[in-house]
């Protein structure tokens, strides 16, 4: 009882602190709802949902209520569990919550004004698909954030500011609040256990009741069943005896020589060159996949195993997880495939087909990449020497031509004009 009395002043102080913080709270309007200008810190879905419950219960926004919590729970269920990123998906939210589009828009606006949501990507209906592809718009992406008023009331000590702020500890007031909450929770649990023990009969009394209670098994001890007779034998179908007309009645020699071992239940994997995939290769692929999946949001619906199989073309080529992550982000997906692993396999198959068609077209045109890149692959001294030889040969040809025309001495002819005319001609003939 003394513990509860000691906790009451702490609760009163916490309520006064909450009232002071709420009085200083102001709506997040304009650019404060953007990730670059927000004063709220980033949060993962569970902590964010607890903060939204407090923000709605504190009455900071007059339009916040149960519908706001319903929309927040739908957003939290679809968030990235590490960074708290979520696609708006207005039509899907309307279908899942049963609310009208106007209601969903209004309460998402309430969450933004509470400082609990910020814009990461502003959606647009402008078509961003390449020519020949179906229509594709830009989706709105929100980030889950916790406003400073919540951290102030809870006594959180922050490192950094804005979206990159982090909880690094608690203040003395926050520690007192946490102790008071744990004490109240422990007292409530203790009172609940005592109430249950009072309602439950003692063990000796219960045993005595069980011994004096008569056993009544109506199904077994039915006196009327004694007058019934057993079932009649009747006529039953009897299978004929097995007749062996000829041949061997024992196990055949071919069947006896077959292996009776059970086939392994696991599936054996093979590499692209036909060799059997080792456990080390699989373990390395799973390790890379464990780093890629949390960083690419749209791949998180796939299991670790099927995603590792889909990424094998990358891992077998020696790519590390930052390179694979950058490659998947370069696909610029603004939607979430229902089967990410199947989508990756289909996308890689399309790329392989396109590369094959390009190679076939180059082969048909007689394009030799090695011959075309030969001059560029030459060493720097050889390339300089080749250029100088070409210049020397050109100057010699020009001098010979000038001597034939009798212009090798000083005259009123312009040597610069003759040189320009020589270089502009394709065969070296004077203009």
């Amino acid at each position: 009882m003394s513990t509860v009395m000691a906790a009451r002043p702490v609760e009163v102080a916490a309520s006064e602190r909450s009232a002071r913080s709420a009085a200083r709270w102001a709506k997040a309007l304009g650019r404060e709802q953007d990730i670059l200008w927000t004063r709220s810190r980033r949060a993962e879905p569970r902590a964010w949902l607890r903060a939204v419950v407090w923000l709605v219960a504190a009455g900071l926004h007059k339009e916040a209520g149960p519908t706001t919590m319903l929309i927040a729970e739908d957003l939290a269920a679809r968030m990235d569990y590490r960074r708290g990123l979520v696609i708006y998906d207005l039509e899907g939210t309307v279908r899942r919550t049963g609310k009208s589009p106007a209601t969903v828009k209004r309460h998402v606006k309430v969450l933004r004004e509470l400082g609990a949501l910020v814009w990461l990507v502003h959606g647009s209906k402008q078509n961003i698909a390449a020519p020949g592809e179906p229509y594709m718009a830009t989706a709105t992406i929100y980030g889950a954030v916790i406003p400073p008023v919540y951290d102030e009331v809870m006594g959180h000590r922050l490192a950094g500011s804005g979206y990159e702020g982090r909880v690094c500890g608690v203040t003395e007031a926050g520690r007192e609040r946490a102790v008071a909450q744990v004490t109240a929770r422990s007292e409530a649990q203790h009172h609940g256990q005592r109430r249950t023990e009072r309602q439950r009969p003692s063990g000796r009394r219960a045993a005595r009741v069980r011994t004096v209670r008569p056993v009544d098994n109506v199904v077994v001890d039915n006196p009327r069943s004694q007058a019934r007779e057993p079932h009649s034998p009747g006529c039953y179908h009897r299978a004929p005896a097995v007749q062996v007309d000829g041949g061997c009645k024992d196990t055949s020699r071919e069947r006896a020589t077959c292996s009776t071992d059970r086939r392994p239940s696991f599936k054996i994997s093979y590499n692209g060159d036909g060799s059997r995939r080792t456990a080390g290769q699989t373990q390395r692929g799973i390790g890379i996949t464990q780093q890629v999946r949390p960083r690419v949001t749209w791949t998180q619906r796939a299991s670790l195993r099927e995603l590792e199989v889909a990424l094998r073309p990358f891992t077998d080529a020696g790519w590390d997880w930052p390179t694979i992550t950058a490659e998947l982000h370069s696909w610029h997906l603004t939607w979430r495939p229902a089967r990410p692993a199947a989508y990756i396999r289909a996308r890689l198959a399309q790329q392989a087909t396109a590369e094959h068609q390009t190679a076939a077209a180059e082969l048909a045109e007689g394009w030799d990449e090695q011959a075309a890149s030969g001059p560029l692959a030459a060493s720097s001294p050889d390339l300089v020497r080749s250029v100088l030889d070409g210049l020397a040969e050109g100057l010699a040809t020009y001098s010979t031509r000038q001597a034939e025309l009798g212009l090798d001495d000083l005259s009123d002819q312009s040597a610069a004009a003759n040189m320009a005319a020589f270089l502009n001609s394709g065969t070296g003939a004077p203009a």
Side-chain angles (χ1 to χ4, degrees):
M1 188 67 179
S2 60
T3 305
V4 178
M5 294 297 295
R8 287 180 180 175
V10 177
E11 295 177 357
V12 172
S15 61
E16 293 177 355
R17 192 163 57 250
S18 302
R20 291 195 301 269
S21 302
R24 294 194 300 269
W25 176 83
K27 291 182 179 180
L29 302 175
R31 67 179 187 177
E32 291 185 357
Q33 298 179 4
D34 193 89
I35 182 177
L36 298 178
W37 304 98
T38 182
R39 294 181 293 116
S40 304
R41 61 177 176 88
R42 186 178 66 188
E44 53 94 18
R46 291 174 296 181
W48 178 75
L49 202 55
R50 290 194 298 266
V52 172
V53 171
W54 184 88
L55 293 171
V56 174
L60 300 180
H61 200 293
K62 63 180 182 179
E63 297 184 13
T67 305
T68 308
M69 286 304 309
L70 181 63
I71 304 300
E73 290 173 356
D74 180 80
L75 293 173
R78 298 184 287 111
M79 281 182 182
D80 175 15
Y81 67 94
R82 289 288 300 276
R83 300 184 58 191
L85 307 183
V86 62
I87 297 178
Y88 185 15
D89 189 17
L90 175 60
E91 296 180 357
T93 306
V94 169
R95 183 176 63 255
R96 288 185 296 269
T97 59
K99 303 297 181 180
S100 64
T103 301
V104 174
K105 292 180 181 179
R106 183 169 63 253
H107 287 278
V108 169
K109 179 182 178 182
V110 169
L111 290 173
R112 292 200 308 268
E113 293 178 350
L114 284 172
L117 280 181
V118 292
W119 267 302
L120 271 73
V121 176
H122 290 266
S124 173
K125 293 184 178 181
Q126 183 179 1
N127 187 12
I128 62 173
E133 294 184 356
Y135 169 78
M136 182 185 302
T138 305
T140 299
I141 301 179
Y142 284 117
V145 290
I146 295 177
V149 61
Y150 177 80
D151 292 322
E152 183 179 354
V153 172
M154 297 300 166
H156 294 163
R157 185 180 291 112
L158 302 181
S161 61
Y163 186 73
E164 298 299 330
R166 292 293 180 271
V167 177
C168 62
V170 293
T171 61
E172 188 63 29
R175 186 178 295 105
E176 293 176 357
R177 180 186 181 92
V179 170
Q181 290 178 349
V182 172
T183 303
R185 191 182 304 114
S186 177
E187 289 291 336
Q189 185 177 4
H190 179 66
H191 287 306
Q193 292 178 353
R194 292 179 58 184
R195 188 181 302 109
T196 304
E197 291 177 356
R198 286 197 302 267
Q199 295 177 355
R200 184 186 304 164
S202 61
R204 184 175 301 174
R205 181 180 178 184
R208 184 169 61 253
V209 171
R210 283 196 297 269
T211 54
V212 299
R213 183 178 179 181
V215 178
D216 185 12
N217 194 338
V218 181
V219 179
V220 178
D221 301 332
N222 189 355
R224 292 178 296 178
S225 63
Q226 299 176 359
R228 297 179 181 177
E229 297 181 356
H231 294 285
S232 174
C235 297
Y236 298 96
H237 172 73
R238 299 184 181 276
V242 178
Q243 301 292 333
V244 181
D245 296 334
C248 183
K249 64 181 179 61
D250 298 325
T251 305
S252 64
R253 180 168 299 176
E254 291 80 8
R255 184 177 177 184
T257 55
C258 293
S259 175
T260 58
D261 296 337
R262 295 182 59 185
R263 294 184 178 180
S265 58
F266 58 88
K267 183 179 180 180
I268 300 176
S269 299
Y270 295 93
N271 297 318
D273 57 356
S275 61
R276 184 170 176 176
R277 193 171 186 84
T278 63
Q281 290 176 317
T282 303
Q283 185 176 5
R284 177 180 175 274
I286 290 178
I288 294 177
T289 307
Q290 288 176 340
Q291 299 293 330
V292 172
R293 189 172 67 169
R295 292 171 171 83
V296 184
T297 308
W298 56 267
T299 63
Q300 294 172 4
R301 290 186 178 180
S303 65
L304 196 64
R305 180 61 176 170
E306 61 182 359
L307 192 60
E308 184 271 333
V309 174
L311 295 178
R312 281 181 182 177
F314 295 144
T315 56
D316 292 345
W319 292 22
D320 54 0
W321 66 263
T323 308
I324 298 176
T325 303
E327 174 66 20
L328 296 181
H329 280 304
S330 68
W331 294 357
H332 300 293
L333 287 189
T334 57
W335 54 284
R336 294 193 178 196
R339 299 171 59 192
Y343 176 78
I344 292 175
R345 289 195 297 269
R347 186 72 176 255
L348 294 179
Q350 291 178 357
Q351 294 179 359
T353 302
E355 293 175 357
H356 177 72
Q357 292 176 353
T358 303
E362 291 177 352
L363 183 61
E365 294 175 357
W367 173 263
D368 189 355
E369 184 176 359
Q370 184 176 3
S373 60
L376 299 178
S379 61
S380 180
D382 295 340
L383 183 61
V384 172
R385 182 63 183 176
S386 177
V387 172
L388 292 177
D389 291 342
L391 290 175
E393 182 180 356
L395 290 174
T397 305
Y398 177 76
S399 300
T400 303
R401 186 63 177 173
Q402 290 295 93
E404 292 176 355
L405 296 176
L407 301 176
D408 54 339
D409 55 348
L410 296 176
S411 62
D412 57 353
Q413 297 289 334
S414 174
N418 292 335
M419 175 65 77
F422 175 79
L423 293 178
N424 289 332
S425 62
T427 60

